[in-house]
Amino acid sequence: MEERGFFYRDTWAEVDLDCIHKNVASVKQLLPNGVEIIAVVKANAYGHGDVQVASEALAAGASYLAVAFMDEAMALRKKGIAAPILVLGASRAEDVQYACDHQITLTVFQMNWLLEAQKHLKTDSRLSVHIKLDTGMGRLGIRTKEELAEFEDFISRDERFHLEGVFTHFATADEPDQTYFHQQFELFQELVSALKVRPKYVHCSNSAATLRFKSNAYNTVRLGIAMYGLTPSLEMEPEIPFPLNEAFSLRSKLVHVKKLHKGDKVSYGATYEASGDEWIGTVPVGYADGWIRKLGSQEVLVNGIRVPIVGRICMDQFMVRLPQELPVGTKVTLIGKDHHQFISINEIAKKLETINYEIPCIITSRVPRLYKKNGKIVEIKNYLLQ
Ligand SMILES: *Cc1c(COP(=O)(O)O)cnc(C)c1O
């Protein structure tokens, strides 16, 4: 596949679908037989591309998808995804009929919501729901057995609701201290066993819990960050049972190269000053692409060598100090491998004092995504030109 005609700026993100495939397959292999995988593809698959990741995850053994909001589920349906999709977050009760029409499964956790939803469901509709239990995350969910019993009864009395699942979410599954995790898990067990009828899907594990506590998986896990080849936390890195393959790279090309002399300045505020003769390259990536100003002290890879960013990052461009004169068009790697060097998403996360989850998510839709399989480009998504 030829890149020409798909995008017109020399900046792109590469998503290696083979990595997604391998990561899902490794998790599948790790889990006890029969445990299903819900591939979490919210937030445009953590910035990687929703339909591309969803399709690959399904091909690799996932059987269900999850997103945060109904819009994300509808987007997947529009792109031809037929697999079941669970909306993990809150949806509007007024919108239930749309969820039904698109066979989207909703998360439920409020009595008033059910009462309101009843008003909006046609008589012959059937809405699949998963009950969310709050076992200590303090975000969404039912917290007591009494509430749960009332809730279950209500659902069972209305044919239009189909109780398909029950789940909870852990707050500390990636932390070295396991006390709170076990506390949450115990409460989950207690609440699940209080149900009169156990639904088809019982799930609690995110990536961290899946990788660390595979026997606690019940019959389904929700796999997010590990599918993208990233560790849920730095602390649990030594506990990852198989190599994770990082799928996301960010690349660009030098669009201008010039020689500066001692005292010449670079970028807004003229904060960088050349200390002698220096080769300065311009890279067409800026904070509007998610390469935020705080990355001003980051390095990038050029011909397998780390080179420093100099001067302030602009909205659309930044400058680097090159070891020598290099031709315009030379590839620049901001995230990913180049020759034997590697800039990991963790490195960028550390620089930004945040978690790896945030990094691909903040690379904006101005950056086209290139999809690779077997080293070949199989699809190019330019959000600007759709
Ligand atoms: C995002 C999310 C996940 C995925 O978590 P990872 O740590 O990325 O595996 C699972 N469950 C819920 C409810 C989520 O919101």
Side-chain angles (χ1 to χ4, degrees):
M1 193 169 187
E2 181 49 67
E3 293 155 40
R4 192 156 300 127
F6 285 94
F7 59 94
Y8 304 90
R9 176 176 62 144
D10 278 331
T11 297
W12 68 98
E14 271 169 35
V15 178
D16 189 334
L17 293 171
D18 295 329
C19 294
I20 304 279
H21 198 107
K22 281 185 219 158
N23 297 331
V24 173
S26 299
V27 169
K28 187 93 186 161
Q29 212 165 32
L30 175 82
L31 288 169
N33 250 342
V35 175
E36 293 190 40
I37 296 176
I38 300 177
V40 181
V41 294
K42 61 192 178 189
N44 197 27
Y46 296 33
H48 293 62
D50 57 0
V51 65
Q52 295 82 2
V53 171
S55 309
E56 198 59 41
L58 292 166
S63 53
Y64 217 116
L65 301 169
V67 292
F69 305 115
M70 237 173 87
D71 305 69
E72 296 176 319
M74 303 274 241
L76 285 168
R77 286 283 178 258
K78 215 169 139 185
K79 294 169 192 172
I81 295 288
I85 307 175
L86 168 66
V87 175
L88 298 165
S91 304
R92 292 186 203 128
E94 304 94 274
D95 292 335
V96 284
Q97 192 55 51
Y98 295 101
C100 271
D101 293 345
H102 292 88
Q103 286 160 324
I104 294 166
T105 308
L106 298 185
T107 292
V108 293
F109 48 87
Q110 275 162 6
M111 212 51 188
N112 284 340
W113 189 96
L114 290 180
L115 288 163
E116 185 63 26
Q118 280 186 320
K119 297 186 206 157
H120 297 272
L121 279 172
K122 293 183 198 148
T123 24
D124 54 350
S125 297
R126 201 155 159 80
L127 177 76
S128 280
V129 297
H130 288 209
I131 295 178
K132 181 74 187 283
L133 301 174
D134 179 10
T135 56
M137 177 71 183
R139 197 164 64 177
L140 300 176
I142 288 172
R143 299 169 63 93
T144 65
K145 264 190 216 170
E146 294 70 32
E147 271 182 286
L148 180 60
E150 191 192 356
F151 210 77
E152 188 187 13
D153 287 345
F154 189 93
I155 289 176
S156 67
R157 285 197 303 270
D158 190 333
E159 286 267 286
R160 294 171 298 172
F161 295 119
H162 166 54
L163 180 55
E164 190 202 51
V166 58
F167 73 109
T168 194
H169 193 50
F170 295 121
T172 64
D174 60 341
E175 288 181 12
D177 186 343
Q178 301 176 11
T179 321
Y180 197 71
F181 166 83
H182 287 296
Q183 223 168 290
Q184 277 198 269
F185 186 68
E186 269 164 42
L187 182 52
F188 184 61
Q189 283 179 295
E190 205 179 305
L191 290 168
V192 168
S193 26
L195 283 169
K196 289 200 189 100
V197 181
R198 186 174 286 203
K200 180 173 175 196
Y201 295 102
V202 182
H203 48 109
C204 55
S205 300
N206 53 5
S207 293
T210 303
L211 297 173
R212 289 176 91 191
F213 313 106
K214 59 182 180 203
S215 53
N216 296 19
Y218 274 90
N219 63 17
T220 311
V221 300
R222 299 185 307 274
L223 187 66
I225 199 74
M227 170 168 65
Y228 304 99
L230 301 170
T231 47
S233 70
L234 293 176
E235 293 94 323
M236 65 168 284
E237 213 156 280
E239 291 180 65
I240 307 286
F242 46 78
L244 287 171
N245 307 281
E246 214 169 296
F248 190 93
S249 314
L250 181 60
R251 306 201 195 268
S252 189
K253 287 180 182 173
L254 296 175
V255 291
H256 188 51
V257 176
K258 62 185 172 287
K259 192 189 218 174
L260 291 192
H261 304 291
K262 186 174 168 44
D264 289 344
K265 308 277 206 287
V266 173
S267 198
Y268 287 118
T271 54
Y272 180 78
E273 185 178 316
S275 57
D277 283 359
E278 288 179 3
W279 287 101
I280 298 294
T282 302
V283 184
V285 180
Y287 58 76
D289 300 303
W291 195 254
I292 63 175
R293 290 170 88 247
K294 210 176 164 187
L295 289 166
S297 60
Q298 177 59 30
E299 295 168 328
V300 298
L301 302 175
V302 178
N303 289 335
I305 294 166
R306 284 176 173 264
V307 304
I309 293 174
V310 294
R312 288 183 187 154
I313 290 171
C314 311
M315 189 184 286
D316 320 297
Q317 300 164 85
F318 66 80
M319 275 61 78
V320 291
R321 190 178 61 232
L322 302 169
Q324 79 244 8
E325 183 177 14
L326 290 172
V328 162
T330 300
K331 191 158 93 171
V332 179
T333 296
L334 291 79
I335 296 172
K337 284 198 191 82
D338 180 33
H339 297 77
H340 295 295
Q341 278 285 339
F342 180 48
I343 294 177
S344 65
I345 287 183
N346 279 342
E347 176 178 335
I348 305 296
K350 194 173 169 197
K351 182 72 72 172
L352 294 178
E353 297 169 277
T354 183
I355 53 172
N356 53 18
Y357 291 69
E358 214 178 3
I359 307 306
C361 285
I362 63 170
I363 302 305
T364 66
S365 56
R366 196 169 75 168
V367 178
R369 267 66 170 171
L370 236 95
Y371 295 91
K372 284 189 162 179
K373 265 190 199 184
N374 297 317
K376 287 206 186 75
I377 302 166
V378 292
E379 188 183 343
I380 297 170
K381 174 80 184 169
N382 184 345
Y383 293 96
L384 293 178
L385 303 178
Q386 290 290 5

